[in-house]
Amino acid sequence: MPRRRALLLLHSRWSGSAARGLVLCVLTFGVVLPLCCHRSLYSYYFLRSVYLDWMSDESLRKSYEQGQQALRYWQGLATVRVPENPPAKGPELLVTVVTARRVDGHSSHYLLQVMQKLDRLLRACRDPPCAEVVVCDVESGPFENEDATLLEKWFRVVRRFQDEQQMIHEHVNIFEKEKRDYVYCLRKGWELLSPRNVVVLEDDALPSDDFFAVIRNLLSRRFALSALYVKLYHPERLQSYWNPEPYRILEWMGLGVVGATALLLILPLCGPLSPPISTPHLLFLVLYVMAVAELCGRHYLLELRRLSPQLYSVSPATECCTPAMLFPGNASVRVAALLDGAVCQKGNAKDMVLYRLARSTRGEHAHSVEPNLIQHIGAFSSVRANPWHPRLL
Ligand SMILES: CC(=O)N[C@H]1[C@@H](OP(=O)(O)OP(=O)(O)OC[C@H]2O[C@@H](n3ccc(=O)[nH]c3=O)[C@H](O)[C@@H]2O)O[C@H](CO)[C@H](O)[C@@H]1O
């Protein structure tokens, strides 16, 4: 008899727990998260059909306004500021900005926006200067890159077609040209200034406010000594846990365990409905926290790391994209040599080639930093065909 009663008690406890778990899941995943996240671009709850077109148009409009504002800034500067001295040799950091003339999106003046932001950041750290900046103009078409010309008074602008006349007669696919342009810019920066470290930005990579503080911190970490490159950007849409990168799965499980333990410790303070501390409850809460994190969007969790440069995480490099890259020490020269030996084409652009080269070359290590240190503002590509109506996703 007592055995039956014990079984009944256990059964009622379990069904009570299951019912509470079910209510919690329905409320969280069916009510609270949809209400909180339906406008968050990188959440699973984002209402794409309702908001995507509108948000994309808004972002294009803003980008156009910011481009026009940057254009006025650089045009107006000529009357109020004296040009600075040419960049000094041997700087701690050289930032090379690779740029080509854009046909689509020309009026958003991406390059001018990026340079305006760099100018603002550099004026905030002058003694000693955070970095020297060189603009690397790789335009080879019949028209000049007007934005680069406008910046000439303020920054050193190097031009590939002036240095390498033969490039005008080069008949290579656009991805191979893009790679050769990149190699030229890497080598030219090194040759001109012999910097101790190099950052290469593409002309639509807008640095974040803490850009130089984080770079300085990264360079002070041990891993940088042996790094071939550190990626400073990965597309937001590819940052979720479900984009399987081994370290992300570990991070996801760790977050689940920490979050569930915190909940188990906090819930008893909230009243009699709290679950008892047991392994099944812990497992349930681990899965619950993991699901909440993924559905809300890992991208938003990463933003918390912006609190301090020390909190930025470094992990093995991910494949896609090179809009912002840090090359510690003489790594930019090694990368130029590696890229020189490879051929790029559609489906095998310089970002993929570099990723594979880093993995297959003994002794070289490639890393990614999170969260992103730049915002990618280029809605229009200068190497690919552009859609009639570019979208944020
Ligand atoms: C955000 C993002 O995913 N960007 C990636 C995407 O660029 P996108 O397709 O977004 O092209 P983009 O217009 O950003 O151009 C990338 C870079 O190439 C430069 N450029 C352009 C034309 C040219 O003849 N020579 C030249 O060097 C241009 O100035 C810019 O610095 O694909 C590229 C590879 O193809 C790189 O992996 C980019 O990081």
Side-chain angles (χ1 to χ4, degrees):
M1 235 13 214
R3 202 166 154 240
R4 221 179 129 209
R5 262 188 47 204
L7 278 175
L8 275 175
L9 195 68
L10 199 65
H11 180 261
S12 77
R13 237 191 235 166
W14 271 108
S15 49
S17 290
R20 265 182 285 163
L22 188 69
V23 171
L24 180 68
C25 287
V26 170
L27 276 179
T28 311
F29 301 116
V31 182
V32 179
L33 292 187
L35 280 176
C36 296
C37 304
H38 66 286
R39 279 166 177 259
S40 307
L41 197 59
Y42 305 110
S43 162
Y44 286 73
Y45 288 103
F46 179 60
L47 289 180
R48 210 184 156 99
S49 54
V50 181
Y51 295 116
L52 184 58
D53 281 347
W54 172 75
M55 284 170 79
S56 303
D57 291 345
E58 256 313 277
S59 143
L60 282 179
R61 190 188 57 74
K62 260 200 198 145
S63 174
Y64 171 79
E65 269 173 17
Q66 278 157 1
Q68 294 301 310
Q69 195 266 327
L71 179 63
R72 286 195 295 275
Y73 174 84
W74 289 112
Q75 283 173 338
L77 207 59
T79 56
V80 294
R81 214 164 92 191
V82 185
E84 312 207 346
N85 297 330
K89 270 226 161 205
E92 183 61 32
L93 182 68
L94 166 68
V95 179
T96 303
V97 185
V98 184
T99 181
R101 186 174 174 274
R102 278 172 195 258
V103 181
D104 298 319
H106 168 70
S107 43
S108 287
H109 298 285
Y110 298 136
L111 175 66
L112 298 185
Q113 291 191 51
V114 169
M115 297 310 288
Q116 185 184 9
K117 183 72 185 270
L118 277 175
D119 187 49
R120 180 159 77 71
L121 295 179
L122 286 171
R123 274 191 288 134
C125 62
R126 276 165 174 262
D127 210 12
C130 290
E132 296 294 346
V133 178
V134 166
V135 176
C136 186
D137 179 9
V138 294
E139 182 55 50
S140 59
F143 303 105
E144 70 167 346
N145 185 346
E146 289 164 353
D147 287 352
T149 308
L150 179 59
L151 292 166
E152 220 157 11
K153 205 163 177 189
W154 314 104
F155 296 97
R156 179 150 195 173
V157 179
V158 293
R159 293 198 166 82
R160 188 177 169 216
F161 71 92
Q162 279 176 355
D163 264 7
E164 299 182 354
Q165 287 284 318
Q166 81 281 5
M167 79 172 275
I168 299 167
H169 308 293
E170 261 174 11
H171 293 292
V172 290
N173 71 71
I174 182 73
F175 297 100
E176 176 63 14
K177 174 176 180 302
E178 186 200 358
K179 182 213 78 182
R180 291 186 189 182
D181 291 341
Y182 202 77
V183 169
Y184 166 81
C185 296
L186 284 171
R187 289 203 170 123
K188 194 69 191 176
W190 188 261
E191 200 182 296
L192 282 176
L193 296 183
S194 318
R196 294 162 79 124
N197 303 286
V198 177
V199 163
V200 179
L201 294 181
E202 294 180 359
D203 54 1
D204 53 1
L206 191 76
S208 60
D209 289 339
D210 54 359
F211 186 76
F212 288 118
V214 179
I215 300 271
R216 206 177 306 125
N217 179 274
L218 290 173
L219 287 171
S220 71
R221 297 192 204 176
R222 229 180 135 83
F223 84 95
L225 293 174
S226 63
L228 181 64
Y229 65 82
V230 186
K231 272 184 59 179
L232 307 178
Y233 172 86
H234 193 57
E236 290 80 358
R237 66 188 152 76
L238 303 179
Q239 283 178 333
S240 67
Y241 288 115
W242 209 240
N243 263 289
E245 300 282 345
Y247 73 91
R248 275 192 212 167
I249 304 294
L250 288 179
E251 177 194 304
W252 196 16
M253 293 195 302
L255 179 73
V257 172
V258 171
T261 312
L263 280 179
L264 275 182
L265 294 177
I266 291 168
L267 284 177
L269 309 176
C270 306
L273 282 179
S274 60
I277 300 181
S278 69
T279 310
H281 286 105
L282 180 70
L283 276 180
F284 167 77
L285 286 177
V286 167
L287 293 177
Y288 172 80
V289 172
M290 286 171 74
V292 170
E294 176 66 353
L295 293 172
C296 283
R298 177 170 176 265
H299 167 76
Y300 302 105
L301 284 178
L302 286 176
E303 290 300 297
L304 295 175
R305 292 185 179 269
R306 293 197 193 278
L307 282 173
S308 155
Q310 282 85 2
L311 294 178
Y312 279 68
S313 73
V314 175
S315 47
T318 40
E319 270 182 47
C320 156
C321 324
T322 47
M325 306 284 282
L326 167 64
F327 301 102
N330 70 355
S332 60
V333 183
R334 292 183 344 251
V335 165
L338 286 171
L339 282 176
D340 231 0
V343 180
C344 290
Q345 58 204 326
K346 193 171 175 210
N348 195 36
K350 69 172 192 299
D351 53 335
M352 297 294 295
V353 167
L354 187 55
Y355 175 75
R356 278 196 224 109
L357 284 171
R359 284 170 74 102
S360 60
T361 308
R362 261 188 79 183
E364 297 291 16
H365 304 281
H367 308 269
S368 288
V369 69
E370 283 183 315
N372 288 335
L373 265 188
I374 60 109
Q375 184 195 346
H376 176 240
I377 54 172
F380 299 93
S381 169
S382 52
V383 287
R384 292 177 172 78
N386 287 299
W388 176 75
H389 185 214
R391 289 202 171 91
L392 286 169
L393 287 176

